[in-house]
Amino acid sequence: MTVVAPPAERQATPRTRRSPRTLLLGLAAVLFGMLVWTLLSLAGVQSLPNPPQVAAKAGQLIADGTLLQDALASLRRVLLGFALGTLLAVPVGFLMGWYPTARALLEPYVQFFRTIPPLALIPLAVVLLGIGEVPKIFVIFLAAFLSSVVATLQGVVDVDRTLINAARVLGASDRTIFLKVVIPASTPFILVGMRVGLGSAWGTLVAAELIAATQGLGYRMQQAQLYYDLPTIFVGLITIGVLGLAMDRLLLLAERRLTGWQERR
């Protein structure tokens, strides 16, 4: 008799087999990047610092607490802006996707502001909100919101009509259809939108910290630029990349947990 493994087991096996290979490929990519970086610095490309110089600078900034303070300040701004943007984007996206009237009223504004880079709103944010933390968080919030709201809207719009019609035939109410069909089916879109929004939030951070900041990775990099301190700039870039990558991996883990029913390659 042939024993057929449950779907979860059939999916888990390939993932387990691919995991070591994926880790090795990732490690090889990092080592290759370090090699290219070292060769470019040895070739004297624009006075590019080599990895040991950057590591020494990172050790110095860690020892005096500067890097930790800057990283925490930037992380706080990104988390606040990203969280606020996502919390508002998801219900607005559901509203626009579920109700055509709401979509007709709100979509022109969403699409209009999507064409305006959040960085272009910094002067307006300074005039209206001052030079404290609020304008910094606002531009990060806007970057995260616009990415997430469009993804949520698309997720609701792309829900298979067959599922909705089948639920109606079985007597499900609109509330039940929304909770049991629309939300689960649009969850992958929402999580992808969150990942894109997180990238936009980190991408906006450096410019946001132009607004009268005294701490932050972007602020430190701008100060280093004035003194042509390339190792400090590299430390800031690498720190932003590592923090952003770690947060993205957490979102990816949440995506796999929440959308385990979804077929993956």
Side-chain angles (χ1 to χ4, degrees):
M1 183 176 69
T2 303
V3 179
V4 180
E9 293 181 11
R10 291 204 303 268
Q11 292 177 2
T13 303
R15 288 184 189 177
T16 304
R17 289 176 181 172
R18 284 199 302 265
S19 182
R21 180 173 179 269
T22 302
L23 292 175
L24 288 175
L25 287 174
L27 179 60
V30 171
L31 293 176
F32 179 75
M34 295 286 287
L35 176 62
V36 172
W37 178 9
T38 302
L39 293 175
L40 290 175
S41 64
L42 291 175
V45 177
Q46 293 295 324
S47 303
L48 191 70
N50 56 45
Q53 290 175 325
V54 174
K57 190 65 177 183
Q60 177 186 339
L61 294 174
I62 292 173
D64 60 19
T66 301
L67 185 60
L68 178 60
Q69 292 176 359
D70 288 337
L72 289 177
S74 294
L75 190 60
R76 182 180 67 250
R77 291 166 184 145
V78 168
L79 286 175
L80 279 173
F82 171 70
L84 293 173
T86 302
L87 288 175
L88 181 62
V90 171
V92 170
F94 277 135
L95 184 68
M96 293 170 60
W98 191 244
Y99 297 104
T101 302
R103 188 188 317 166
L105 291 172
L106 297 177
E107 190 170 18
Y109 290 99
V110 171
Q111 299 301 337
F112 172 78
F113 281 104
R114 280 186 66 215
T115 63
I116 302 175
L119 307 184
L121 297 175
I122 287 179
L124 181 62
V126 171
V127 172
L128 296 179
L129 303 174
I131 58 173
E133 288 295 300
V134 176
K136 301 178 184 63
I137 295 173
F138 171 74
V139 294
I140 296 172
F141 152 82
L142 191 61
F145 170 80
L146 293 173
S147 299
S148 296
V149 72
V150 173
T152 304
L153 166 63
Q154 197 63 41
V156 177
V157 171
D158 284 355
V159 173
D160 191 348
R161 299 299 303 180
T162 303
L163 299 176
I164 296 177
N165 293 333
R168 291 193 191 280
V169 169
L170 293 173
S173 63
D174 284 348
R175 180 176 180 275
T176 301
I177 292 173
F178 185 76
L179 293 176
K180 300 295 185 180
V181 178
V182 175
I183 291 181
S186 57
T187 297
F189 288 84
I190 296 172
L191 291 169
V192 169
M194 289 175 64
R195 293 180 65 190
V196 175
L198 179 63
S200 300
W202 278 108
T204 310
L205 171 71
V206 175
E209 291 181 339
L210 281 169
I211 308 174
T214 57
Q215 282 185 335
L217 296 169
Y219 164 78
R220 193 64 54 191
M221 291 165 61
Q222 293 161 35
Q223 292 298 305
Q225 175 193 0
L226 298 177
Y227 301 100
Y228 206 68
D229 185 0
L230 290 179
T232 297
I233 294 176
F234 269 76
V235 171
L237 288 172
I238 293 171
T239 304
I240 289 175
V242 169
L243 291 175
L245 180 62
M247 293 176 68
D248 181 78
R249 294 301 94 179
L250 290 176
L251 283 177
L252 186 59
L253 178 62
E255 179 184 355
R256 289 176 176 171
R257 294 290 179 87
L258 294 174
T259 61
W261 49 269
Q262 190 179 30
E263 185 177 354
R264 291 186 173 86
R265 304 175 92 180

